[in-house]
Amino acid sequence: MGYFTALKGELVTYMDDQQIERTYQAYVFARNAHRGQKRLTGEAYITHPVAAARILAEIHMDVDSIMATLLHDVLEDTRATKSELASHFGENVANLVDGVSKLKKIKFDSHAEEQAENFRKMVLAMVRDIRVVIVKLADRLHNMRTLSVMRPDKQRRIALETMEIYAPIAHRLGMHDFYRELEDLGLKARYPMRYRVLSDSIKRVHGNRKRMLREIENNICEALSRNGLSQGQVLGRRKNLCSIYKKMRFKKISFNDVMDVFGFRVVVQDVDACYRVLGIVHSLYKPVPERFKDYIAMPKANSYQSLHTTLFGPYGIPIEIQIRTDDMDKIAENGVAAHWRYKAGSDHAKDAQLKAVKWVQGLLEMQHNTASSLEFIESVKSDLFPDEVYVFTPKGDILKLPGGATPVDFAYAVHSEVGNSCVAVKINKKLSPLSTPLINGQQVDVVTSDQATPNPAWLNFVVTSKARSNIRYYLKCQQNTESIALGSRLLTLALQKFSKNFADIPKEAMQSLLKVLGYKNREELLEAIGLGHQTASLIAQRLLYGLQIEYTEDNTIPALYIKGTEGMVVRFAECCRPLPGDSIIGQSNPGQGILVHMAQCSKVSSLTYDAKKIIYIRWEDEVAGDFKADLVIEVANQRRVLALLAGIIADEDSNIDNILVDPKDGQHNKVSLTITVNHRRHLAKIIRQIRRLEPVVKVIRTKG
Ligand code: MN
């Protein structure tokens, strides 16, 4: 029996004697075929297929898969032939072994091409029988476990392939135990130092927390048995090392923050019990709002089912709890491989199987659509990482971005200067909005301009931290300069009220006021005025205190003239959308500068008596920029009326920002438009043109 004994120990737990005998025959065949061969570890070669078969026996894979795993290297490394295998062990086993065997007789130009061609062959075999990939994963897992005897360069190559292809495939197939171990071993082989440091830190943390973990575990167990659920299992969950590493690295979360969560899994008999457990833990510890997820009612794409909730544990420590049935747990851990365990029964397992088959069929389709096997393996890789998109620069370089990334993220990924000066983008040569989420394979060409600056609205759609931090930083600097400039103008106006100017302020008065108010220098004070934290007229009075001051006749501060280029510290209210030419009034908002309303806006009237908040403003003669205006147009329900409206607006050099059509009754439509104009006169001209249209009944500009 020899090496077979340990494997048999697993098989007897779920196979009948006849199946075990067939497995034994496969073992004997493989042992004889590999006779004389040794692994790099110095052991007999047969130990490898036996160990791989044992990995699958532990998750109760069927007899064909176990036999195929025992035989998986005989076609590649010995003289045995496929027809020999078929006659001894049947077509299924022979096909499985053939599916995982590499192409032998072809000479490849490069290692990458060879890898790609072999991968393509495996995918084609998977389409016929998905077990091919399960056998392959067991083979790979055992090779990864014994990787350290290989040459360092080979170790790195195999580890990379594992992390790029096999670990994500295991993940896709829901085989999470495999996935986690493959990833951890891959990380260990590629970055041994990082692995060691992280693994030591994790051990230390777990040592420190043992007592608390046990306390929580006991509390949950007791609560379950008080409620008659004593068969339920409560298990402390550990994050795998690689997932901790990835969180720290890609989400920029510190080790302590990643580790600062305690995870538990509660496994019970049936679905009903799952929801009861949920109620029990929620009454034991307070749940964190909006962290509850019901993947039992709504399973994930890979058929994963579970209830997830997060609780405020003792000392405020967050506890993540997964609650599921035994079946769900097996599928959660073994995914598609659980199918063979529950051949007759479980619908969930069947579902996982169907989804896996669908995915493989998708791969087949991809295979047909790609010109070469290299291209194919690249598309499989990007398909396996749905969280990443690969796009091209105009020069053909590939850039990897997180899912949902936009052209602005792309621009910042190229260079922060490109990001700061981007104005438009061509995606596959077509001009597109900067907020368009990018898709795999697109060519992205950013258009930049020297005058361009980052737009605060970008913060609403960028996803990379690089873009976000660059935009924030720029805006912060920009806002400083703009608010200092505005503060200086406001203070100048306030001083004018007393017929004074900056030069009249006594040095000591400035110094002592800065000290009293806690500002380092004059710029800080001006910035505070610009941002609305300080009121210009009060500051002026305090600065001039003790001087001979005269009041001007009307006793009000002269108006501030604005020209539309003040930037972020002067903004225009959305409620009334004032236009150049309208009479306007400013509202000072601490921290945000001035918000400009129309003088008759209903939101302003309540403020009019709060002198500190009101700033009198006027338009300069020449105002720059585009302003938004809202129109409501009542039109007869005729064809082409919208096209006529759009035509007029375009002819007048205006843009439609938003359009909403509300059918009032059968005869009339109410069209609400937001358009851009540069002046009240501009809008008036457009309204006149619209009124002339025959189907138009009424046009009004709405103001809040
Ligand atoms: Mn092997």
Side-chain angles (χ1 to χ4, degrees):
M1 295 287 266
Y3 298 116
F4 189 69
T5 319
L7 173 62
K8 192 178 172 187
E10 292 290 343
L11 299 180
V12 293
T13 62
Y14 71 101
M15 279 191 185
D16 61 31
D17 288 349
Q18 195 223 335
Q19 287 173 322
I20 293 174
E21 177 55 25
R22 283 179 65 203
T23 314
Y24 182 65
Q25 291 311 321
Y27 162 74
V28 172
F29 186 98
R31 186 193 60 194
N32 293 341
H34 289 295
R35 193 181 298 280
Q37 294 175 353
K38 284 215 177 347
R39 301 202 85 210
L40 280 177
T41 54
E43 297 167 291
Y45 195 86
I46 188 67
T47 56
H48 162 63
V50 170
R54 204 174 150 193
I55 290 172
L56 291 188
E58 280 164 10
I59 59 168
H60 295 198
M61 280 299 292
D62 67 305
V63 63
D64 281 355
S65 308
I66 302 287
M67 288 164 68
T69 311
L70 285 168
L71 295 161
H72 80 267
D73 277 331
V74 300
L75 291 185
E76 218 172 285
D77 298 337
T78 78
R79 275 181 228 183
T81 62
K82 190 180 171 189
S83 56
E84 224 179 316
L85 290 183
S87 69
H88 279 82
F89 307 107
E91 287 292 334
N92 280 343
V93 173
N95 283 331
L96 284 173
V97 176
D98 184 50
V100 294
S101 298
K102 289 180 186 147
L103 297 158
K104 270 201 290 194
K105 302 217 169 64
I106 306 169
K107 195 88 184 80
F108 294 101
D109 291 339
S110 67
H111 178 75
E113 200 189 330
E114 181 181 354
Q115 182 200 35
E117 202 48 60
N118 281 316
F119 180 73
R120 170 145 82 178
K121 174 174 180 281
M122 188 185 79
V123 169
L124 294 179
M126 272 161 67
V127 176
R128 286 195 299 273
D129 191 337
I130 190 110
R131 289 175 297 180
V132 166
V133 70
I134 299 175
V135 173
K136 182 73 197 173
L137 288 171
D139 173 33
R140 179 52 64 112
L141 184 53
H142 184 248
N143 283 334
M144 288 298 291
R145 284 180 186 172
T146 51
L147 194 64
S148 58
V149 292
M150 294 265 198
R151 272 201 337 249
D153 60 323
K154 245 184 151 184
Q155 280 192 37
R156 275 194 298 275
R157 204 193 69 213
I158 294 175
L160 183 67
E161 189 189 45
T162 300
M163 292 183 93
E164 279 191 345
I165 300 178
Y166 293 104
I169 286 181
H171 183 60
R172 177 58 67 97
L173 296 175
M175 298 171 67
H176 290 111
D177 277 345
F178 280 56
Y179 166 63
R180 282 189 290 259
E181 193 178 343
L182 285 172
E183 272 210 315
D184 280 4
L185 292 169
L187 186 70
K188 187 178 177 183
R190 285 184 71 197
Y191 306 110
M193 282 294 280
R194 295 177 205 188
Y195 183 89
R196 186 139 30 92
V197 170
L198 205 50
S199 136
D200 288 347
S201 323
I202 293 169
K203 270 189 210 129
R204 213 170 29 247
V205 167
H206 282 295
N208 295 342
R209 289 178 179 176
K210 230 178 225 155
R211 206 178 48 82
M212 195 157 1
L213 279 168
R214 199 159 305 145
E215 179 191 326
I216 298 170
E217 194 179 320
N218 285 341
N219 285 348
I220 299 175
C221 281
E222 275 167 24
L224 291 187
S225 57
R226 270 201 306 279
N227 288 279
L229 284 165
S230 45
Q231 293 114 315
Q233 273 181 290
V234 180
L235 309 154
R237 237 164 6 96
R238 282 192 178 193
K239 288 201 171 74
N240 70 316
L241 199 141
C242 192
S243 80
I244 295 171
Y245 174 76
K246 283 196 286 193
K247 271 201 180 124
M248 290 169 61
R249 174 125 198 208
F250 299 112
K251 298 200 175 159
K252 306 248 184 285
I253 302 173
S254 75
F255 177 74
N256 285 331
D257 286 343
V258 179
M259 293 304 289
D260 226 14
V261 180
F262 287 27
F264 287 93
R265 182 187 307 153
V266 183
V267 180
V268 288
Q269 294 301 103
D270 50 39
V271 172
D272 199 43
C274 291
Y275 290 99
R276 282 176 61 206
V277 171
L278 182 75
I280 293 166
V281 295
H282 277 186
S283 62
L284 193 61
Y285 300 112
K286 209 192 243 285
V288 177
E290 285 165 32
R291 290 297 297 275
F292 168 65
K293 293 216 176 70
D294 187 345
Y295 294 119
I296 291 183
M298 281 165 292
K300 285 194 191 177
N302 59 12
S303 303
Y304 174 87
Q305 286 189 299
S306 200
L307 300 176
H308 287 191
T309 186
T310 305
L311 311 168
F312 293 107
Y315 319 107
I317 295 165
I319 313 176
E320 285 177 2
I321 302 215
Q322 302 173 341
I323 306 163
R324 54 197 185 222
T325 66
D326 198 40
D327 275 16
M328 291 172 191
D329 194 47
K330 290 288 180 317
I331 291 161
E333 296 310 302
N334 302 324
V336 70
H339 170 75
W340 285 273
R341 187 171 196 157
Y342 295 101
K343 240 184 199 151
S346 165
D347 281 349
H348 310 316
K350 231 178 272 163
D351 204 31
Q353 166 82 355
L354 282 178
K355 280 182 176 151
V357 167
K358 228 176 168 181
W359 173 66
V360 175
Q361 260 146 13
L363 290 185
L364 187 66
E365 212 166 281
M366 213 187 278
Q367 201 288 127
H368 289 310
N369 297 336
T370 44
S372 72
S373 52
L374 276 172
E375 198 183 310
F376 172 57
I377 201 169
E378 280 311 316
S379 18
V380 173
K381 278 184 202 166
S382 53
D383 178 63
L384 283 168
F385 289 97
D387 288 332
E388 286 169 353
V389 286
Y390 295 81
V391 289
F392 296 92
T393 67
K395 283 184 190 151
D397 295 331
I398 296 185
L399 225 62
K400 186 172 92 179
L401 294 166
T406 62
V408 176
D409 292 292
F410 175 91
Y412 278 102
V414 173
H415 196 281
S416 34
E417 271 313 304
V418 178
N420 283 338
S421 58
C422 74
V423 283
V425 67
K426 287 184 201 154
I427 299 176
N428 290 344
K429 311 226 148 95
K430 246 180 72 186
L431 219 49
S432 313
L434 284 171
S435 58
T436 318
L438 296 173
I439 297 169
N440 269 324
Q442 284 176 331
Q443 194 206 59
V444 187
D445 189 359
V446 175
V447 184
T448 58
S449 147
D450 290 344
Q451 274 93 51
T453 57
N455 183 335
W458 292 351
L459 288 172
N460 297 329
F461 57 72
V462 295
V463 302
T464 53
S465 53
K466 183 164 186 205
R468 192 171 296 279
S469 58
N470 269 300
I471 298 167
R472 286 230 175 93
Y473 178 74
Y474 177 86
L475 294 178
K476 183 94 188 52
C477 297
Q478 182 69 11
Q479 202 183 26
N480 285 349
T481 342
E482 287 171 356
S483 28
I484 291 170
L486 177 64
S488 163
R489 286 172 66 194
L490 288 170
L491 188 58
T492 307
L493 292 170
L495 292 166
Q496 268 174 35
K497 174 180 154 186
F498 307 108
S499 311
K500 300 284 179 203
N501 57 45
F502 268 98
D504 298 324
I505 300 169
K507 263 211 176 85
E508 319 76 67
M510 177 60 92
Q511 288 310 324
S512 70
L513 184 64
L514 288 177
K515 211 166 161 194
V516 171
L517 296 176
Y519 296 115
K520 277 199 216 77
N521 49 37
R522 208 174 77 145
E523 278 66 37
E524 273 194 8
L525 174 65
L526 293 176
E527 188 189 346
I529 295 172
L531 285 172
H533 291 302
Q534 296 290 348
T535 309
S537 61
L538 296 178
I539 295 292
Q541 281 182 43
R542 293 176 76 168
L543 286 170
L544 300 175
Y545 183 79
L547 288 190
Q548 197 64 21
I549 50 175
E550 315 156 13
Y551 287 81
T552 51
E553 267 166 33
D554 62 354
N555 207 11
T556 53
I557 298 179
L560 171 76
Y561 280 80
I562 57 170
K563 47 178 185 271
T565 51
E566 285 79 5
M568 283 165 281
V569 283
V570 173
R571 291 169 308 123
F572 300 93
E574 296 271 313
C575 51
C576 50
R577 298 206 156 133
L579 297 178
D582 288 330
S583 66
I584 47 177
I585 196 159
Q587 174 191 350
S588 163
N589 287 330
Q592 293 167 3
I594 299 174
L595 191 60
V596 180
H597 288 273
M598 287 183 69
Q600 66 269 47
C601 175
S602 57
K603 288 220 174 148
V604 182
S605 56
S606 60
L607 295 167
T608 315
Y609 302 102
D610 189 350
K612 272 203 271 181
K613 283 202 161 171
I614 286 297
I615 291 168
Y616 294 95
I617 45 180
R618 301 261 160 77
W619 296 103
E620 292 261 19
D621 288 341
E622 289 294 317
V623 180
D626 283 333
F627 297 82
K628 286 180 183 162
D630 292 321
L631 293 179
V632 175
I633 308 166
E634 214 177 296
V635 291
N637 190 0
Q638 290 179 11
R639 286 181 59 213
R640 290 196 25 87
V641 68
L642 286 180
L644 286 171
L645 283 175
I648 288 177
I649 290 162
D651 286 347
E652 290 298 330
D653 269 333
S654 164
N655 270 317
I656 300 181
D657 251 41
N658 199 2
I659 182 162
L660 210 105
V661 181
D662 177 17
K664 273 184 69 172
D665 48 54
Q667 267 98 53
H668 295 95
N669 282 330
K670 199 174 99 183
V671 182
S672 305
L673 279 176
T674 305
I675 60 174
T676 51
V677 292
N678 53 41
H679 197 276
R680 190 184 157 89
R681 285 189 298 271
H682 186 195
L683 178 66
K685 193 169 167 213
I686 293 173
I687 291 178
R688 272 200 306 278
Q689 304 272 1
I690 292 175
R691 281 218 178 97
R692 278 192 205 137
L693 288 178
E694 196 258 328
V696 169
V697 183
K698 201 159 88 183
V699 190
I700 36 172
R701 173 183 174 200
T702 49
K703 302 160 194 168

